Amino acid sequence: MINKRLLIKNLLAHNDECSFYDKKRQLNLHSREGKAKFLKHICALSNSNPANNSYIVVGVEDHDNEIVGDDFFDDSRIQNLVNAYLENPPKIQYENVPFPNLSKDKVIGLVTIKAKNKTSHFKKGIHTIPANSIFIRHGSNTMPVEGVIEKNYQNTETVLDIENNSRNSIEHTLDGVIDFMNFRHKDMAPKYKVFKELFVICWAGVPKKSRDITFLSRVDIELINEQIKLFYSAQDVVTITYDEDSFTIIEYVPLGLNDKTSYYPLEQQTIHFEDNGYYKIDREILFHPPEFNKKMLFHIYNSNISLLNKLQKEITLTAREHKDLEHLPSTFMICYLNGFEDAKQKLIDAKLLLKPFTQVYLSFKESLRILRKMKYDLQ
């Protein structure tokens, strides 16, 4: 098994960005421009590496390789975005990799683009990229090309060496378990489970009971062998079940107009472990949005717009308005799920206005994370 933390370190140590890996401070998949840039790099790296994996490392400063981290990103449907725009799309995987120097809510993102011999190109345009565009990598540059691409196999041995030098060991696994259990989550009753005598999952959370169901909040779940986070949330709650062959996480969304005491199942994620040393993850969306009175939602929607206008004009909010501001991300999300199509974009556009309010901004990020899970906006 490849230890993804070691892999990232070895990629960063190899040399600067090159034809088999790129690095980013962060990804922006909320805008057409951000999606276009991401897709362009996926297309170029895939075309430039027909016989080996290629990688994008997210959460690293470009000028000095400083590991600064990014938010946990759990959108397994990122493949859908690639499939929607690219012909001959490569298989890609996004993983969240914790690093000791980062806070619990920050990780390094690792995008793995699987080897694919067929040339990828844009089957439809997005932002400034027209349909039928083809991209490749020349060193650290992503460039458009025309005509037939001459296949390049010069990276195969180099990438294989980097991956082999990133293989896990018993020492790395034990260090990971000890760090999780005794240091990072010692105050949260952490647990671990070994599957098939090969895989170790550690998890921790704060138990809370609601309507005869015990949930875990502030949850952190890691597959220690590969040093990746399977789940992390500072706000949402989950239930965890497991047997000898699988580990299942059901994520719930606390939603309400005036409180968050009602929990709605959002997604079920099951990790199946095989005897041959492989595992697979199945995900199923369970969410059915609650329906609320339209007249009440119109009032809430207009109140949220009014709050944002006051923030824009730097008008001091009343105590009651501060309270309403705390609920603004979740109520905008409820409005969107009940047919207010503009509510999602209003929420995205409010990012800079909400950022100075720590708890509100945290709720903002959680709301967008939930909306990403349900459906990519490919328009």
Side-chain angles (χ1 to χ4, degrees):
M1 296 178 193
I2 294 180
N3 183 311
K4 300 304 169 58
R5 187 186 297 171
L6 280 178
L7 177 60
I8 290 170
K9 288 181 177 179
N10 288 333
L11 285 170
L12 295 177
H14 176 70
N15 55 28
D16 205 352
E17 294 169 302
C18 60
S19 54
F20 61 80
Y21 101 92
D22 194 9
K23 58 188 176 184
K24 301 292 177 189
R25 176 61 185 83
Q26 61 183 13
L27 295 182
N28 174 19
L29 299 181
H30 298 309
S31 68
R32 287 176 63 81
E33 180 182 3
K35 291 174 184 175
K37 288 181 179 178
F38 175 72
L39 290 165
K40 180 175 70 173
H41 293 308
I42 294 293
C43 179
L45 287 165
S46 177
N47 289 335
S48 301
N49 296 277
N52 57 268
N53 293 334
S54 47
Y55 298 95
I56 301 175
V57 179
V58 183
V60 176
E61 292 288 4
D62 186 55
H63 63 284
D64 61 1
N65 274 2
E66 181 185 0
I67 293 174
V68 293
D70 198 6
D71 293 333
F72 182 91
F73 186 85
D74 62 351
D75 201 331
S76 60
R77 289 150 203 84
I78 200 170
Q79 181 74 57
N80 295 347
L81 176 66
V82 175
N83 293 348
Y85 283 97
L86 296 185
E87 190 69 39
N88 299 320
K91 289 185 178 179
I92 66 170
Q93 185 175 15
Y94 191 104
E95 295 168 306
N96 299 275
V97 185
F99 271 71
N101 63 308
L102 299 177
S103 59
K104 287 191 297 186
D105 62 327
K106 296 294 182 182
V107 294
I108 297 298
L110 179 66
V111 182
T112 303
I113 301 105
K114 304 291 186 180
K116 189 175 184 66
N117 198 43
K118 291 186 177 180
T119 300
S120 296
H121 68 270
F122 280 77
K123 60 185 177 184
K124 61 180 180 179
I126 178 172
H127 192 51
T128 59
I129 300 176
N132 299 315
S133 296
I134 304 174
F135 293 89
I136 60 168
R137 295 277 291 193
H138 276 307
S140 62
N141 297 317
T142 295
M143 304 178 64
V145 294
E146 295 182 2
V148 178
I149 295 178
E150 183 177 345
K151 297 299 181 181
N152 178 2
Y153 298 93
Q154 64 181 9
N155 294 325
T156 306
E157 289 188 11
T158 302
V159 174
L160 186 60
D161 285 343
I162 290 174
E163 291 174 342
N164 285 335
N165 286 331
S166 305
R167 297 288 172 185
N168 213 349
S169 67
I170 294 176
E171 180 182 8
H172 288 133
T173 301
L174 290 175
D175 285 347
V177 173
I178 291 170
D179 180 57
F180 190 99
M181 303 287 289
N182 294 347
F183 296 99
R184 284 189 287 133
H185 298 297
K186 63 181 180 180
D187 60 337
M188 296 172 66
K191 296 180 174 61
Y192 74 92
K193 170 70 177 173
V194 179
F195 296 88
K196 303 294 185 181
E197 300 182 343
L198 288 172
F199 306 94
V200 183
I201 288 185
C202 289
W203 71 95
V206 177
K208 55 192 294 186
K209 198 163 187 176
S210 176
R211 301 176 185 176
D212 298 325
I213 300 177
T214 300
F215 299 98
L216 294 177
S217 63
R218 293 168 52 201
V219 178
D220 190 357
I221 305 171
E222 293 185 16
L223 178 58
I224 298 297
N225 306 70
E226 298 196 357
Q227 288 292 346
I228 58 173
K229 281 184 183 286
L230 297 171
F231 186 91
Y232 177 81
S233 174
Q235 289 194 327
D236 290 346
V237 295
V238 307
T239 58
I240 290 173
T241 56
Y242 55 88
D243 55 28
E244 292 305 308
D245 303 311
S246 63
F247 186 91
T248 299
I249 309 158
I250 298 180
E251 179 183 357
Y252 293 78
V253 185
L255 285 179
L257 293 179
N258 298 312
D259 57 36
K260 292 186 178 180
T261 59
S262 297
Y263 295 97
Y264 297 84
L266 173 63
E267 182 182 47
Q268 177 174 293
Q269 182 179 172
T270 302
I271 303 98
H272 301 277
F273 300 99
E274 309 291 343
D275 291 320
N276 59 5
Y278 290 91
Y279 67 91
K280 66 175 182 177
I281 299 177
D282 291 330
R283 293 178 172 90
E284 179 185 1
I285 287 291
L286 307 174
F287 189 67
H288 295 285
E291 295 184 5
F292 293 94
N293 180 277
K294 280 291 197 294
K295 186 175 180 180
M296 183 187 302
L297 291 179
F298 269 114
H299 172 72
I300 290 172
Y301 179 82
N302 290 329
S303 295
N304 284 350
I305 298 297
S306 177
L307 278 176
L308 294 178
N309 287 337
K310 286 189 174 183
L311 291 178
Q312 184 78 49
K313 297 175 181 178
E314 299 183 351
I315 298 174
T316 303
L317 302 184
T318 66
R320 174 63 191 177
E321 288 171 333
H322 272 289
K323 192 70 176 175
D324 290 340
L325 185 64
E326 292 177 8
H327 297 294
L328 183 143
S330 62
T331 53
F332 255 150
M333 179 172 64
I334 290 172
C335 287
Y336 175 74
L337 296 173
N338 279 264
F340 290 69
E341 295 296 331
D342 291 341
K344 179 181 177 182
Q345 192 58 49
K346 293 288 185 186
L347 179 59
I348 293 172
D349 294 342
K351 177 180 179 178
L352 294 180
L353 294 175
L354 301 179
K355 200 166 187 176
F357 305 91
T358 304
Q359 290 303 314
V360 179
Y361 188 61
L362 183 61
S363 179
F364 162 83
K365 292 194 291 185
E366 290 289 320
S367 295
L368 288 186
R369 186 176 70 86
I370 292 166
L371 291 172
R372 275 202 314 269
K373 277 195 169 189
M374 285 182 282
K375 183 179 180 181
Y376 252 116
D377 179 8
L378 296 177
Q379 303 303 318

